[in-house]
Amino acid sequence: MKDILSLDLDELRREIISFGEKDYRANQIFKWVYAKRVLDFSEMTDLPMNLRNKLGSLFRFTTMKEVERQISIDGTEKFLLKLEDDNHIETVVLKHPRHVTFCISSQVGCALNCSFCATGASGFTRDLSASEIVSQVILMENSIGRPVDNIVFMGMGEPFLNEANVYKAIKILHDPVGRNLGIRHFTISTAGIPEGIKRLADSGMDVRLSVSLHSASEETRSSLMPINKKYPLDSLRKVLDYYQQKTGNRITFEYALIKGVNDSKEDLTKLGEFLTGIKSFVNIIPVNPVKPVFDRPSDREIAVFSESLKKAGFECAVRHEKGTDIEAACGQLRQKRRE
């Protein structure tokens, strides 16, 4: 049986036409699934009963089980989800006064092994399918009882290493017939894969781009992020220039501030040199508690770093992390079995 959540609207239309139905039936099904979040053909009441029965015999829905749902003191929610093959992923709901953001996973684990990130320490298992990515959104929308406003591929995994499935999931969720989430409400967060950034620039897909930088020193970044040894800062900078020339979009940079590692005046100077000429915004993220243990700078040191960057002419803000108490903040997601 085909997984219906793996089909975009054009593919679903072709399937519906192939067994003698009118193509508008695909629109009806798409609305039920993505606008109303109904994953049972028998409940799609504007479809003829014989069609509902036929659909049930031809298609299936990806299923994932909510193993655990934790709620932070700040309202952040973290979901541990069990996939059909018994692998586990974690996803996060960030609640703000006027909007809700989902941090969605694109892989089971991560192969990049950044030293401050718990996800990489758990290792890489496999890519998620487009239907598994989409299913996370439907499940969490149903769980919180409202639609999401923004989706960030900043959960488990490197999105550009599972590019085809990430893009297909975006296409499905963006389609105006169904979920109709605006394209600028999607963000791809990457550790810096030049080929992926270039393909995004060339795609015409106007999603937002966020780059995990964490240091503008070659040696320091390589120690924090092994991917820098393969794609050093010079190659990253060149492709970011290409991306910006092609799209004109501002790039967000994530900078996990770590005491004694990347918070010195020299680090600040190198960061400014790297950012010069790029339309950018820097999220300064006081490092979250993961293993191996890195220390956060003091509140004063964080403020000095932030203000110094602003005085140098760069837009930035200190991100007040949500969900740290339930290990739902940046770098804290991992595959934990709690059954």
Side-chain angles (χ1 to χ4, degrees), residues 168-207:
K168 187 163 192 185
I170 291 173
K171 181 179 181 181
I172 291 169
L173 294 167
H174 172 57
D175 197 301
V177 171
R179 182 59 189 79
N180 194 27
L181 187 62
I183 199 67
R184 295 291 288 167
H185 291 261
F186 294 91
T187 299
I188 292 178
S189 179
T190 177
I193 311 294
E195 299 96 327
I197 296 171
K198 185 177 187 302
R199 283 192 292 268
L200 176 61
D202 292 337
S203 71
M205 188 184 300
D206 197 26
V207 303

Side-chain angles (χ1 to χ4, degrees), residues 198-238:
K198 185 177 187 302
R199 283 192 292 268
L200 176 61
D202 292 337
S203 71
M205 188 184 300
D206 197 26
V207 303
R208 297 178 185 270
L209 176 66
S210 176
V211 177
S212 294
L213 185 61
H214 308 309
S215 177
S217 161
E218 208 75 76
E219 182 179 354
T220 302
R221 192 168 192 264
S222 291
S223 70
L224 294 172
M225 305 175 68
I227 192 68
N228 192 70
K229 297 172 185 176
K230 183 175 183 180
Y231 303 116
L233 287 165
D234 181 59
S235 65
L236 177 59
R237 174 58 201 247
K238 286 178 181 175

Side-chain angles (χ1 to χ4, degrees), residues 33-51:
V33 174
Y34 295 108
K36 300 178 182 179
R37 303 187 297 277
V38 171
L39 302 182
D40 185 338
F41 293 118
S42 68
E43 296 179 15
M44 299 181 183
T45 51
D46 59 354
L47 301 179
M49 184 60 72
N50 66 332
L51 177 56

